[in-house]
Amino acid sequence: GAVVSQHPSWVICKSGTSVKIECRSLDFQATTMFWYRQFPKQSLMLMATSNEGSKATYEQGVEKDKFLINHASLTLSTLTVTSAHPEDSSFYICSGFGAYGYTFGSGTRLTVV
Amino acid sequence: DAKTTQPNSMESNEEEPVHLPCNHSTISGTDYIHWYRQLPSQGPEYVIHGLTSNVNNRMASLAIAEDRKSSTLILHRATLRDAAVYYCILRVYNNNDMRFGAGTRLTVKP
């Protein structure tokens, strides 16, 4: 079946630094990649949608200059959290959409200290 | 956007069937009904999806009401590994958005 590999699975960073999260579709081409954020005991909130080679479309209230998304190829998308603050601590999940439908990554737990 | 309503939580005994309901009274004719589940600290996992007819796969069955305003995910024999949050999601035809509601937290008791 389709697999999306998401790395790192967890990361701790200092306030003010940037963190990059990577998602690769291993055996299919993800024409669209979705990025979600999930706070404890809450549901997944869609942050942005990106199509390969195009600029990402951000949901209302999500700062595009803070959450940089790159989808340069059909198998790789990255989310960079810039100038991270403690309130950005969350579980970030990507999902690739392709021939097999939606496939989710295993998530990245970000802790900003 | 059509929304879904699910109970916050449900309990089941191991090896018994579980029926997880979902109401989607504002569903339109081209909305697909998707079910995903999420285990703790993991990404969501596909369970099943359908449009109008009931669907079966190795994981579960999906029963869709005739008027499509509700559906039920059926786990035929719950195991401890089925303990998760189950999400019922409507996907609009020709729109790739996948937006999650609150879901149902299923607890399976030994």
Side-chain angles (χ1 to χ4, degrees):
Chain A
V3 175
V4 169
S5 176
Q6 183 171 348
H7 293 280
S9 56
W10 61 271
V11 58
I12 302 172
C13 72
K14 289 186 176 180
S15 188
T17 62
S18 296
V19 173
K20 180 183 283 188
I21 301 169
E22 180 180 285
C23 278
R24 290 183 182 272
S25 54
L26 298 186
D27 46 7
F28 71 101
Q29 293 183 327
T31 53
T32 305
M33 192 71 81
F34 302 93
W35 287 92
Y36 297 85
R37 179 168 52 183
Q38 186 175 33
F39 293 109
K41 299 197 183 300
Q42 293 187 25
S43 185
L44 286 76
M45 295 293 294
L46 181 64
M47 296 175 66
T49 302
S50 71
N51 294 303
E52 182 261 341
S54 303
K55 287 186 178 179
T57 301
Y58 290 81
E59 294 296 302
Q60 192 171 8
V62 177
E63 301 174 57
K64 62 180 171 64
D65 293 331
K66 181 171 183 62
F67 298 99
L68 302 179
I69 291 171
N70 185 287
H71 192 173
S73 78
L74 288 171
T75 59
L76 174 64
S77 179
T78 60
L79 167 68
T80 302
V81 183
T82 63
S83 187
H85 288 101
E87 56 264 33
D88 298 324
S89 298
S90 188
F91 191 54
Y92 292 86
I93 305 168
C94 64
S95 174
F97 178 77
Y100 297 103
Y102 300 88
T103 305
F104 288 83
S106 54
T108 297
R109 185 160 304 282
L110 170 64
T111 303
V112 184
V113 298
Chain B
D1 290 343
K3 296 196 184 300
T4 62
T5 304
Q6 299 176 253
N8 288 335
S9 62
M10 290 184 66
E11 280 190 357
S12 170
N13 293 317
E14 197 176 9
E15 298 194 4
E16 290 186 357
V18 182
H19 290 232
L20 297 165
C22 181
N23 286 324
H24 28 79
S25 58
T26 58
I27 191 171
S28 71
T30 53
D31 290 344
Y32 283 80
I33 303 162
H34 287 247
W35 283 83
Y36 282 78
R37 71 180 186 183
Q38 185 181 24
L39 279 64
S41 297
Q42 295 188 27
E45 172 189 28
Y46 170 80
V47 178
I48 202 166
H49 79 283
L51 183 62
T52 56
S53 303
N54 294 343
V55 185
N56 300 296
N57 66 22
R58 63 176 178 81
M59 288 181 70
S61 295
L62 176 60
I64 301 173
E66 198 169 329
D67 62 6
R68 301 210 326 128
K69 293 184 184 300
S70 65
S71 61
T72 302
L73 178 70
I74 303 166
L75 306 180
H76 296 286
R77 285 184 64 198
T79 69
L80 296 178
R81 288 178 295 179
D82 290 324
V85 178
Y86 286 79
Y87 296 98
C88 168
I89 304 165
L90 298 184
R91 183 172 76 86
V92 179
Y93 177 73
N94 267 347
N95 182 336
N96 291 335
D97 275 6
M98 184 71 79
R99 296 174 188 269
F100 288 74
T104 296
R105 182 174 299 277
L106 175 66
T107 302
V108 180
K109 297 183 289 185

